[in-house]
Amino acid sequence: MQNNPQHFVPEGNFLKGKTILVTGAGDGLGKAAALAYARHGATIILLGRTTAKLEAVYDAIVAAGGAEPIIHPMDLASASEEDYRVLGQNVEEQCGHLDGLVHCAAVLGPRAPIQFFPHESWLKVMQVNVNAAFALSKALLPALQAAPSASVIFTSSSVGRKGRAYWGAYSVSKFATEGLMQVLADELRQTSRIRVNSIDPGGTRTNMRKEAYPAEDPLQLPTPEDRMPLYLYLMSEASADVTGEALKA
Ligand SMILES: NC(=O)c1ccc[n+]([C@@H]2O[C@H](COP(=O)([O-])OP(=O)(O)OC[C@H]3O[C@@H](n4cnc5c(N)ncnc54)[C@H](OP(=O)(O)O)[C@@H]3O)[C@@H](O)[C@H]2O)c1
């Protein structure tokens, strides 16, 4: 294995026997993460909004000879506390424990000055990008604690580390994502074998990037697959002692 996390090259089936839940698993970086983890032997719980997209990822994993995934459609904009409780209970009952939780689902929302930022859009971005990640992490902690060691990965952004005009709710939501990562990492550092970190993937060829930069040539951008070494690194034993860190692809 190489030591540089950005160029991490894992051993073949290093995730065999592990169960990893990925949000936003139907598209973009979440889809690439689900496929990459499955390729290395993990059983994936595919969580996302659009069932047809999750089914396509399911089919791709099975066709590639991966372990049969579990599909869990969930709209993070409207899910209730009870929905999260049931998910946590199902994961414990069906899988026994959870080795990894990867937060990729997010929405961009409008780009507008704070003075004119639509109130409802602000609340929705916060709901999907922050509140849902809190609720999901909370509900899945018992299953994560039941694993011999576990990794929680939040997906952040450069605008979650330095504010940018007009990126309003999205930028603020990514600051909150970093905050949630730090608080959870600090809580779990001494008391568990769960590590918690964030990744800023950098500009990547996905639908969200296209929405943010419509005039850009997507072919000039790295693909979601190009961003996978860090996601694999944080799921590997090479990162066993890494927690509370904000990594950048
Ligand atoms: N691409 C970049 O350049 C870039 C840069 C920095 C950070 N990021 C971050 O990377 C992560 C992945 O984004 P991406 O670029 O891969 O974008 P993407 O292709 O648009 O993927 C976003 C995913 O989130 C899901 N999602 C959105 N709203 C949801 C909801 N209400 N409930 C459940 N799932 C929902 C989407 O599901 P549907 O497909 O069903 O809508 C989709 O699978 C995000 O956290 C983003 O902020 C991306």
Side-chain angles (χ1 to χ4, degrees):
M1 289 190 193
Q2 297 178 14
N3 287 329
N4 185 340
Q6 280 84 358
H7 300 287
F8 182 69
V9 181
E11 286 165 4
N13 252 2
F14 80 109
L15 293 173
K16 191 169 171 51
K18 296 195 184 290
T19 304
I20 300 171
L21 187 147
V22 181
T23 77
D27 218 331
L29 286 149
K31 174 182 176 180
L35 292 169
Y37 293 141
R39 201 175 309 123
H40 288 287
T43 299
I44 312 299
I45 304 172
L46 303 163
L47 188 149
R49 174 170 52 180
T50 310
T51 304
K53 288 186 179 183
L54 300 176
E55 286 172 349
V57 177
Y58 175 105
D59 289 344
I61 289 173
V62 171
E68 187 176 358
I70 297 164
I71 291 185
H72 193 89
M74 195 170 192
D75 186 343
L76 299 174
S78 57
S80 66
E81 188 176 3
E82 176 64 6
D83 293 333
Y84 291 108
R85 195 194 61 74
V86 169
L87 171 62
Q89 191 179 320
N90 286 348
V91 169
E92 279 192 279
E93 282 172 10
Q94 286 179 34
C95 310
H97 67 268
L98 190 64
D99 304 278
L101 168 60
V102 184
H103 296 281
C104 281
V107 287
L108 183 62
R111 257 68 22 74
I114 295 291
Q115 187 178 359
F116 302 111
F117 206 94
H119 189 87
E120 284 306 315
S121 302
W122 184 282
L123 297 184
K124 185 181 174 193
V125 171
M126 289 301 171
Q127 190 62 27
V128 174
N129 296 9
V130 183
N131 299 344
F134 150 72
L136 201 54
S137 302
K138 176 182 169 181
L140 292 169
L141 269 174
L144 290 161
Q145 276 156 344
S149 78
S151 177
V152 179
I153 303 174
F154 289 93
T155 304
S156 185
S157 165
S158 60
V159 297
R161 295 171 186 178
K162 183 166 179 13
R164 186 185 298 168
Y166 316 130
W167 281 59
Y170 180 80
S171 179
V172 173
S173 79
K174 292 301 182 179
F175 273 86
T177 299
E178 296 283 3
L180 178 56
M181 178 278 285
Q182 289 182 19
V183 170
L184 191 56
D186 206 34
E187 287 179 2
L188 297 174
R189 195 186 310 268
Q190 307 293 348
T191 56
S192 78
R193 295 279 302 146
I194 305 172
R195 57 195 184 280
V196 186
N197 297 283
S198 69
I199 294 174
D200 164 15
T204 307
R205 197 188 306 168
T206 68
N207 290 338
M208 185 186 289
R209 178 75 187 189
K210 201 170 180 182
E211 187 185 343
Y213 297 91
E216 185 179 63
D217 177 4
L219 296 179
Q220 301 301 316
L221 291 170
T223 64
E225 292 71 32
D226 294 331
R227 302 307 196 187
M228 287 307 111
L230 267 188
Y231 284 87
L232 289 163
Y233 164 74
L234 284 180
M235 210 47 76
S236 77
E237 283 307 302
S239 65
D241 296 325
V242 178
T243 195
E245 296 291 326
L247 305 182
K248 179 160 177 20

